[in-house]
Amino acid sequence: MMQQAYRLAAEAWGADLCRFSTGGSTQSIQTAIAAVAGPGDTVLIAGNAHKAAFSTAVFAGVNLVTIPPVIDRERDVEHGTDPETLARLLDAHPAAKAALVISPTFFGVTSDIPALAEICHARGVPLIVDAAWGAAYPFCDRLPENPLRQGADAMVVSVHKTMGALAQGSFMLVTGDLIDRERFVWAFEMLQCTSPSVPILASLDATRRAHVADGQHLWGRVIDLAASVRDRLSDLTDVAVYGREMIGGPGAHDLDPTFLILDVRKLGLSGYEADEWLQAERRVSAVLGDLRHIGFSFSLGTTEQDANRLVQGIRDLLVAAKDGDDRFHRVPDDAPGYASLQPAMASAPALPPPRAAAAKFDRVPYAHAAGRIAGQSVAIVPPAIPRLLPGQAITPAHVAFLQANLEAGAFILDPDEHGDGLIRVVREA
């Protein structure tokens, strides 16, 4: 039965091989990396990928090379991967075993996958796409193109995020000859739970069947609903609604119309505070919050009532901001944006990440961390993109970025639960 379910899913997504994950796309990313690289091998990973990709590489002993994402400096938005940047890094690391990019990003922007695939394949390197939020792309022609149809060799999709499967349901999909399928299946069997959740597995197969039968109609409704909300918010003077004006440059090939990104900086609050207020006061939950933005994802479960509550919630948020709600604090205009982290991304680690992660450590406040070597990853949640990795030299730019986000209301993962603003650093000899 499972082999038949795998085969049907592979056909539906345009792959040669599919496996189901009941450990979310974290397990799927782990499998993909383990299938292409081992200790001492090099993998290129997009700098705005999820922490799952980086943590897997760290504990597998893989050498990490970070691909800096394209930054829209005007909007302070991280886009996808620039083909020229990928080509330059692959030429600088000719022994690289794979390149992993994220498309769509957490801002709903997709990369030029055909160009990235061409660059990788010219060098005999597989392209892995973390398409966690793009699982439904093969089933509706109003969504961006399916990465596997554009040349990607492997793709990871979170079927539970938008398509209706139970939580933790994910697919890992492989096509072409650049990834050893036997090694991929071995990696899957090594990492999968030996007692996978049958309800999750069944929901994955049922979701596949529903989309093959009616995906165009299902997602047409979602896209129309998202468009109506975008239109209803377009008259707001103090909130910018981002759309296709973001598209056109490197790393910004297309836009997923089911994402809604709002710039709230004129309201005198951060995206983190906007998220907290909307959840507490209007039962509206965002998928993204940062210093200057708040983002929402529309999916099969989004109803007209949800859309109405979102629109009214944003309008009520404006009123609360103008009334001076004491939960809001203005983000300084000169607060560091994503571009401030670019130079550090391009530098090699000061210590091999596996060694740094296993080293003895001290805990120090962010303010005292510059010049030390990180002994942990540091990620703001959501969307859990690491802004520091084990082995990285901590720069003043890292400190300024983390402190600005912490002061604006960010939740930063703390493995020790000793309180915000502390970081593990490698103990000096």
Side-chain angles (χ1 to χ4, degrees):
M1 291 292 290
M2 282 306 305
Q3 292 300 321
Q4 181 181 10
Y6 291 154
R7 178 181 58 78
L8 291 171
E11 290 176 359
W13 267 264
D16 296 328
L17 174 71
C18 177
R19 288 295 183 268
F20 293 4
S21 165
T22 59
S25 286
T26 294
Q27 180 189 337
S28 296
I29 288 290
Q30 289 171 342
T31 301
I33 292 177
V36 297
D41 290 334
T42 296
V43 174
L44 278 60
I45 299 180
N48 55 339
H50 189 271
K51 71 182 183 73
F54 292 99
S55 60
T56 301
V58 167
F59 288 105
V62 170
N63 295 324
L64 291 169
V65 175
T66 302
I67 313 169
V70 175
I71 304 296
D72 182 333
R73 292 174 180 265
E74 177 186 351
R75 300 177 180 87
D76 191 28
V77 166
E78 285 183 311
H79 287 327
T81 299
D82 179 4
E84 290 187 6
T85 300
L86 178 62
R88 175 176 54 79
L89 288 172
L90 283 172
D91 289 342
H93 300 275
K97 298 297 184 180
L100 187 153
V101 302
I102 179 170
S103 183
T105 69
F106 291 96
F107 289 94
V109 173
T110 66
S111 292
D112 187 348
I113 299 300
L116 299 177
E118 182 178 358
I119 287 166
C120 286
H121 295 167
R123 295 159 176 81
V125 173
L127 176 67
I128 302 169
V129 178
D130 178 352
W133 291 91
Y137 288 0
F139 304 102
C140 180
D141 58 17
R142 296 171 64 187
L143 293 170
E145 185 62 54
N146 173 14
L148 286 181
R149 296 295 189 192
Q150 295 181 300
D153 300 281
M155 182 170 74
V156 169
V157 291
S158 292
V159 186
H160 70 98
K161 281 188 168 70
T162 58
M163 294 181 69
L166 292 179
Q168 300 176 214
S170 169
F171 285 166
M172 52 201 92
L173 302 130
V174 177
T175 192
D177 299 322
L178 287 178
I179 295 178
D180 185 323
R181 295 180 201 170
E182 287 188 10
R183 178 171 174 173
F184 183 90
V185 172
W186 169 80
F188 166 74
E189 292 176 348
M190 178 178 65
L191 293 168
Q192 74 164 333
C193 175
T194 54
S195 302
S197 166
V198 173
I200 296 175
L201 294 174
S203 76
L204 287 168
D205 190 51
T207 299
R208 183 272 314 160
R209 184 178 185 277
H211 277 74
V212 169
D214 203 23
Q216 188 77 15
H217 170 74
L218 290 171
W219 283 93
R221 182 197 67 81
V222 176
I223 294 167
D224 289 343
L225 191 59
S228 73
V229 170
R230 189 182 303 275
D231 290 342
R232 292 160 67 187
L233 295 176
S234 62
D235 64 334
L236 300 180
T237 56
D238 292 331
V239 173
V241 182
Y242 291 166
R244 296 198 67 83
E245 69 277 2
M246 291 193 293
I247 304 306
H253 183 69
D254 200 359
L255 182 70
D256 186 325
T258 66
F259 278 74
L260 177 69
I261 307 296
L262 307 178
D263 187 324
V264 298
R265 71 184 85 182
K266 288 185 179 180
L267 295 180
L269 53 96
S270 70
Y272 305 119
E273 292 172 337
D275 183 15
E276 290 290 333
W277 190 92
L278 286 167
Q279 288 193 57
E281 302 296 336
R282 296 296 181 269
R283 294 187 299 115
V284 171
S285 182
V287 72
L288 169 75
D290 67 9
L291 275 181
R292 298 173 172 93
H293 313 94
I294 186 168
F296 304 90
S297 173
F298 291 74
S299 67
L300 295 187
T302 308
T303 66
E304 187 74 39
Q305 181 182 14
D306 296 329
N308 292 337
R309 191 163 64 247
L310 171 58
V311 171
Q312 189 59 51
I314 297 298
R315 295 188 181 278
D316 293 344
L317 176 67
L318 268 67
V319 173
K322 290 178 180 178
D323 288 346
D325 192 306
D326 59 10
R327 287 172 284 184
F328 301 152
H329 304 87
R330 178 173 292 279
V331 176
D333 292 338
D334 61 352
Y338 293 114
S340 68
L341 300 175
Q342 293 285 84
M345 278 190 195
S347 61
L351 197 66
R355 182 178 165 192
K360 293 183 178 180
F361 61 88
D362 298 312
R363 297 185 191 92
V364 301
Y366 291 154
H368 299 161
R372 303 291 296 273
I373 297 175
Q376 68 172 86
S377 63
V378 179
I380 299 170
V381 180
I385 296 171
R387 301 306 176 181
L388 267 174
L389 294 168
Q392 265 191 298
I394 303 173
T395 67
H398 287 123
V399 172
F401 182 88
L402 292 172
Q403 285 186 316
N405 281 268
L406 192 62
E407 292 166 4
F411 175 74
I412 300 178
L413 288 176
D414 175 13
D416 303 310
E417 298 184 354
H418 287 302
D420 292 329
L422 294 178
I423 181 174
R424 290 184 180 208
V425 296
V426 174
R427 181 168 297 171
E428 296 174 343

